[in-house]
Amino acid sequence: MYPFWEVPFFTSGLVIALVATFHILPCHLATGAFWFNVYVERKAFYEKRPELLEFLKKYSLLILIFCFVIGSLSGVGIWYAATVASPRGISALIHNYVWGWATEWVFFIIEIATIYVYYYTLGRIDEKSHLTLGWVYAWAAWISMIIITGILAFMLSSGKWVETGGFFDGFFNETYWPQLFTRTALMFGIAGAYAVIVASTLKNKEVRLELVRTASIWGIGGMVLGAIFTLWYLFKLPEHAKDLAFGGTLPYLKGMLYVAAICYGVVLLWFVIFGLIRPSLSRPVIGIIILFILFAGIGAGEGFREGARRPYIIDRYMYGNQIIANNIPAKNIKAEVPKFQKEGFWSNLYFKPDNLDLSKTKDRLLAGSVIVHHQCGNCHALDRLGKIRPLSLLLENLATESPGDVADFLDALGDYPYMPPFAGNDKDKEAAAEYLFSIVRR
Amino acid sequence: MDLSLYLNSMRDAAGLPFYPIVFQVLLVLTFALHIVMVNLVLGSSFLAVYEVSKKSEFGARLSKALGRVITVGLSIAIVLGVAPLLFVQVIYDPFWYTATSLSAFWALMFLVVITLAFYSSYGFYLGNKKSGPGEMKARWAYVAIFFLLLTALFIHMLSMEQLTPEKWKAWIISKEGFVSFSGGEFHSVSLGRLLHFIIPSFAVTGVYLMLYASYFSEREDYDSNYLDYVAKRGANLALWASVLTVASGFWWLGTIPKDFSFAQNPFFIIGAVLGIITTAYLGAAYLSPEKRAKNASILMFLTIFFMSCAREGLRMRYMNKVGYNIYNYPLNVDWPSTILFFATFIMGLFVLCFPAAAAFKAGKAPKGQIVTINPTIVRNSLYLMIAWFVVVAGLGLVISLKNGTLF
């Protein structure tokens, strides 16, 4: 195992979640915005309405400054966050989908080349070529979504990949199409929201009202279609994910969906009232508040997706604690739990003190700390005052009265549908149980 | 468990989807492209501040032009950097993931400082757009330089930590047996190597200025005195920075373990010879920098490319020393995804002809003149994108129907 990185109180998993959620706003804007931009530019070009160009310049500059700073950096940020929080998880994805990511990178290059040339050549090259630049950007950006959705969906439902190990068998899995349609719809919703904000700042009143209304219609379309495709997405979830979410095993997942639905509902209402019915009331500041609500909705939706795939970080392949769950014969990959149960987890670690004597309690506690960090620390806070699924509190609620009680609990871990089994031998378990008992809140 | 066993056992269980040499070539090539842009951004930032301090008309104009280079260049550098970041994780995963986990805090701080560098550079560029000579403010450029240098330091440290695996354990395990999970390790900084990366920034920026002057020399609305000023500044900067780069290279060379015989590495020898030829050429180019700009840029890129190859050779030596060899990484060759990438890559080069042609022609035309782009290039680039979508979506539908994953 790689060295473990602990984030006090909150777990490293939350760091990825925050970066990933934040990334969605600029990246969905980057993918959706130019469809709207091209629509407006077509109007300006074919209807001979140069007054619309003010919007194009402002909107493009927003995309440049927001998407190609925050968007691209938070995209790299997800990689870094995943690297430090779940190195084996991101490694597994990269080694299966490196060519997918490399393909996406080609489209990133096309995106960045076209967006800058688009922005700086407005009014410098012929209108038709400029409009086509916009189209090329729009396609490149959406195709990058087409690619990354396959990799994200693979984590939730790995499809036939577990049997064949084939790139495309994992890519075009059960939740791929519904996720792609949902994300595509959502990108229009997000692009519409930003467009309303930018349009609200325009000086020309007539143009302002027209574009606020038009952008709202795009936004409403995106939100409504997004809701419909979300139902398809929920219907296509793997059975174990449905059990977790709707069978009462993890009720918080349903709560996440409600939060997402409420947030998106508020955004939809904003589009209808401040965009469609009374566009004159639209103000940038209200739009920015709406973005925060959208952020909360996205966070809840992503939280649902991550929670529904428990106990795996990659469906049926790798557990949340980065231990390989099942054999993948097509790739000559072997499950690691049986290995660790036979040989011991501790004996397979490199980053451990070499001189510990496990017959001594003090040394067992040190070893137990290392084992528990690796096997539990990705999802559970280990501090006494931890905030994310704190183990000290969970064990207190279980009324464990001795290390033996904790060891019994570790034995039963695999019976919980959302927990990986304990991957270690009796000595590992004894050390882990003693350490865990030492942090129980009393 | 010994270090070699650890490193080899941490290779990803899925193996590589194609031959390691291909990833290695892509890694070196994309790194060279990335580092050129990084150098340009860093050198331009310093030069922009210097030109502001001149308080002259030409200085202000050049400084504004560099402001745009910094913002655009940083975007491009980041996107180009994604590829080597990806490929290094594929073939050197045990080193990359271990070092980054050990220094997790700094790896995330890198994102913070580069974001601050980005917005500071925008602050400088947008804040001075309408300023005249003597009115320009350089404070945001100073902030940008500070954060860019911090970014360089963090990335340098993360790269260097990968080369010292024999020290990893001692960093996080105390004598008492406590294991640190803080992710706060900060080790292995090599000033010689860091300088050998920073100093070429000025040489690259100098050559860029020569190209800039050469490119705009056909524009009637550009003052020839200004372009002459830019070209001379570029040639001067490129020449002296090249000399200093060679000097810092020798310093760095002295810090490399002798038993690596790095000075005998063929890529290093080619790179060093090219570096000396480039320096001599820049000396000769001083009298007519605009005319020599293209050749100088080709020589400069070749030098950087071969030095990137030498850097990769050096990395292999460090890793061979601890029993790690990328060429025996287990394989699970996946042809369909490999074809997907290379076909897309070739398609991408064709598509990029369009924005490149548009930018090139628009930049050559005087202000107010609208240029027309060859409609075949325009049309084909869009058609290629749509064709890619049709092929992949069609493939996806067939596979989904075959696997029963669609409905």
Side-chain angles (χ1 to χ4, degrees):
Chain A
M1 303 297 278
Y2 288 113
F4 184 82
W5 177 50
E6 183 180 20
V7 177
F9 309 116
F10 295 106
T11 76
S12 54
L14 189 72
V15 175
I16 305 182
L18 282 176
V19 179
T21 302
F22 188 65
H23 176 65
I24 286 180
L25 277 177
C27 85
H28 278 53
L29 173 64
T31 50
F34 257 67
W35 297 93
F36 187 71
N37 229 21
V38 164
Y39 171 78
V40 175
E41 190 174 2
R42 270 179 64 87
K43 269 177 106 65
F45 175 32
Y46 288 111
E47 295 173 17
K48 304 280 176 228
R49 295 183 57 196
E51 70 272 17
L52 295 176
L53 296 182
E54 185 196 350
F55 172 81
L56 288 181
K57 273 200 160 172
K58 279 192 168 178
Y59 200 42
S60 305
L61 186 63
L62 171 81
I63 296 164
L64 267 182
I65 292 183
F66 186 56
C67 299
F68 284 90
V69 179
I70 294 293
S72 54
L73 284 174
S74 58
V76 175
I78 295 177
W79 256 358
Y80 273 89
T83 291
V84 296
S86 182
R88 295 188 87 205
I90 189 76
S91 171
L93 284 179
I94 281 181
H95 283 81
N96 282 291
Y97 285 102
V98 54
W99 289 134
W101 259 305
T103 303
E104 192 190 15
W105 173 74
V106 174
F107 290 102
F108 286 159
I109 298 282
I110 295 173
E111 277 178 64
I112 197 150
T114 45
I115 180 91
Y116 274 111
V117 176
Y118 179 91
Y119 179 73
Y120 285 115
T121 60
L122 187 61
R124 306 286 310 269
I125 63 172
D126 65 289
E127 287 168 323
K128 206 165 184 183
S129 297
H130 196 264
L131 186 61
T132 312
L133 264 179
W135 278 117
V136 171
Y137 175 89
W139 276 99
W142 187 50
I143 288 173
S144 69
M145 175 187 272
I146 288 174
I147 296 168
I148 197 63
T149 299
I151 301 170
L152 291 175
F154 171 74
M155 294 172 77
L156 178 61
S157 51
S158 51
K160 286 261 178 186
W161 177 86
V162 285
E163 295 163 33
T164 66
F167 177 97
F168 287 114
D169 287 332
F171 193 93
F172 294 114
N173 57 70
E174 294 87 345
T175 60
Y176 174 74
W177 296 102
Q179 280 209 51
L180 178 63
F181 279 71
T182 306
R183 286 171 190 275
T184 300
L186 183 61
M187 86 182 185
F188 287 122
I190 293 177
Y194 280 94
V196 168
I197 294 170
V198 173
S200 306
T201 67
L202 296 179
K203 288 174 193 137
N204 184 323
K205 191 183 171 190
E206 209 174 298
V207 175
R208 184 171 71 235
L209 296 182
E210 179 191 349
L211 287 180
V212 166
R213 189 174 284 127
T214 312
S216 295
I217 292 170
W218 279 61
I220 290 166
M223 302 312 284
V224 171
L225 285 173
I228 294 167
F229 294 132
T230 300
L231 293 177
W232 183 23
Y233 164 54
L234 295 175
F235 173 73
K236 290 287 287 177
L237 284 174
E239 284 309 315
H240 76 267
K242 282 184 193 165
D243 283 347
L244 291 183
F246 307 115
T249 312
L250 290 175
Y252 87 90
L253 290 176
K254 228 193 253 182
M256 290 269 197
L257 278 184
Y258 290 143
V259 171
I262 290 168
C263 291
Y264 292 152
V266 170
V267 177
L268 182 63
L269 264 180
W270 171 69
F271 276 130
V272 171
I273 296 170
F274 291 87
L276 204 59
I277 300 173
R278 295 293 297 274
S280 58
L281 293 178
S282 180
R283 298 285 182 278
V285 67
I286 305 174
I288 290 166
I289 294 168
I290 287 296
L291 287 186
F292 281 101
I293 295 171
L294 206 48
F295 180 74
I298 292 167
E302 291 300 298
F304 174 85
R305 185 174 63 84
E306 295 195 0
R309 67 175 184 235
R310 288 171 70 182
Y312 303 104
I313 194 166
I314 299 173
D315 176 45
R316 293 173 290 164
Y317 174 50
M318 187 175 276
Y319 288 124
N321 57 12
Q322 308 175 58
I323 290 171
I324 295 174
N326 288 305
N327 294 327
I328 310 290
K331 291 224 159 201
N332 203 23
I333 295 173
K334 296 209 165 45
E336 290 176 328
V337 176
K339 176 188 163 190
F340 290 141
Q341 285 175 342
K342 190 177 166 199
E343 298 173 10
F345 185 78
W346 178 254
S347 60
N348 272 289
L349 281 179
Y350 174 71
F351 285 96
K352 64 178 179 187
D354 292 322
N355 51 354
L356 292 193
D357 177 0
L358 296 189
S359 63
K360 293 181 182 165
T361 307
K362 181 178 143 280
D363 285 0
R364 274 202 307 279
L365 281 174
L366 287 174
S369 160
V370 176
I371 294 168
V372 167
H373 274 84
H374 280 293
Q375 299 221 4
C376 316
N378 275 93
C379 307
H380 295 277
L382 300 174
D383 326 73
R384 281 179 179 275
L385 300 174
K387 301 298 175 204
I388 304 290
R389 304 184 196 104
L391 269 185
S392 55
L393 188 63
L394 289 171
L395 290 169
E396 185 201 359
N397 291 341
L398 288 171
T400 48
E401 291 179 354
S402 69
D405 287 351
V406 180
D408 289 344
F409 170 66
L410 292 178
D411 263 335
L413 272 186
D415 298 340
Y416 294 86
Y418 50 86
M419 288 294 293
F422 182 75
N425 60 16
D426 287 344
K427 279 186 177 174
D428 296 327
K429 203 182 304 162
E430 191 185 347
E434 282 189 49
Y435 171 73
L436 284 170
F437 189 70
S438 76
I439 63 167
V440 176
R441 284 184 198 175
R442 295 187 189 92
Chain B
M1 184 184 278
D2 72 6
L3 178 59
S4 173
L5 182 61
Y6 165 73
L7 292 168
N8 286 291
S9 68
M10 289 311 291
R11 287 172 159 179
D12 196 89
L16 299 182
F18 210 63
Y19 301 96
I21 183 81
V22 175
F23 290 109
Q24 194 176 28
V25 170
L26 288 170
L27 168 63
V28 173
L29 182 65
T30 53
F31 172 79
L33 293 169
H34 166 67
I35 208 68
V36 167
M37 289 312 296
V38 171
N39 279 330
L40 180 61
V41 169
L42 198 53
S44 298
S45 309
F46 277 99
L47 188 61
V49 168
Y50 176 73
E51 293 296 338
V52 169
S53 73
K54 304 279 284 181
K55 296 188 191 303
S56 67
E57 187 195 334
F58 291 164
R61 191 170 171 184
L62 178 56
S63 188
K64 283 180 196 175
L66 290 171
R68 185 187 283 195
V69 170
I70 301 166
T71 52
V72 176
L74 201 46
S75 284
I76 297 172
I78 288 167
V79 174
L80 285 173
V82 167
L85 179 64
L86 176 64
F87 297 129
V88 80
Q89 291 177 67
V90 175
I91 49 179
Y92 293 114
D93 42 339
F95 297 87
W96 165 262
Y97 292 118
T98 306
T100 313
S101 298
L102 290 170
S103 303
F105 173 77
W106 300 108
L108 295 181
M109 281 307 289
F110 149 73
L111 297 165
V112 175
V113 295
I114 195 163
T115 305
L116 293 171
F118 223 140
Y119 280 117
S120 311
S121 62
Y122 263 113
F124 173 72
Y125 170 54
L126 295 175
N128 284 307
K129 248 185 154 178
K130 289 173 185 164
S131 310
E135 295 169 357
M136 289 185 77
K137 300 274 186 292
R139 54 176 173 258
W140 283 115
Y142 281 116
V143 179
I145 289 171
F146 173 73
F147 286 120
L148 283 173
L149 287 176
L150 267 188
T151 305
L153 177 66
F154 291 172
I155 291 295
H156 164 79
M157 179 273 292
L158 286 171
S159 305
M160 287 302 293
E161 283 190 353
Q162 293 174 53
L163 304 182
T164 50
E166 64 281 357
K167 296 179 183 168
W168 289 343
K169 251 183 151 177
W171 292 343
I172 61 165
I173 299 172
S174 72
K175 282 179 189 155
E176 294 76 29
F178 287 102
V179 180
S180 166
F181 304 113
S182 73
E185 304 307 316
F186 197 107
H187 303 275
S188 304
V189 171
S190 158
L191 195 57
R193 183 163 164 151
L194 186 58
L195 281 178
H196 195 58
F197 148 76
I198 291 173
I199 296 171
S201 300
F202 300 102
V204 169
T205 305
V207 171
Y208 171 79
L209 293 188
M210 289 163 68
L211 277 174
Y212 173 96
S214 163
Y215 175 76
F216 287 115
S217 61
E218 291 167 33
R219 285 260 303 250
E220 288 165 6
D221 54 342
Y222 265 67
D223 182 348
S224 60
N225 291 326
Y226 167 66
L227 291 178
D228 197 41
Y229 171 84
V230 173
K232 287 265 162 52
R233 168 77 73 238
N236 210 2
L237 190 64
L239 173 63
W240 289 110
S242 295
V243 171
L244 285 174
T245 301
V246 173
S248 71
F250 278 110
W251 179 16
W252 172 44
L253 199 60
T255 65
I256 295 170
K258 296 276 180 296
D259 56 323
F260 284 2
S261 307
F262 184 57
Q264 292 163 29
N265 179 305
F267 290 115
F268 173 75
I269 293 168
I270 298 171
V273 170
L274 275 168
I276 292 164
I277 293 172
T278 308
T279 309
Y281 188 81
L282 286 168
Y286 190 74
L287 292 176
S288 52
E290 291 172 34
K291 285 182 186 160
R292 307 281 175 96
K294 278 181 198 154
N295 289 343
S297 61
I298 292 167
L299 279 171
M300 180 74 71
F301 181 74
L302 284 174
T303 308
I304 291 172
F305 175 72
F306 278 99
M307 277 302 176
S308 300
C309 294
R311 176 181 176 269
E312 177 63 12
L314 183 62
R315 170 160 43 198
M316 287 181 72
R317 291 306 303 265
Y318 274 106
M319 293 180 182
N320 286 344
K321 200 174 118 185
V322 288
Y324 187 90
N325 183 347
I326 59 166
Y327 298 127
N328 59 21
Y329 206 118
L331 284 176
N332 265 314
V333 173
D334 188 281
W335 279 102
S337 63
T338 307
I339 292 168
L340 172 75
F341 167 69
F342 282 104
T344 307
F345 185 73
I346 293 164
M347 181 210 79
L349 292 178
F350 280 108
V351 173
L352 285 171
C353 290
F354 172 31
F360 189 81
K361 281 189 89 171
K364 286 264 183 196
K367 259 191 178 165
Q369 185 185 322
I370 293 175
V371 296
T372 308
I373 314 301
N374 183 335
T376 313
I377 296 179
V378 175
R379 219 173 26 240
N380 287 349
S381 58
L382 183 60
Y383 288 166
L384 278 171
M385 304 289 288
I386 297 172
W388 188 98
F389 168 74
V390 169
V391 170
V392 174
L395 184 73
L397 284 172
V398 170
I399 291 171
S400 300
L401 285 170
K402 182 171 77 73
N403 289 346
T405 53
L406 186 58
F407 299 111

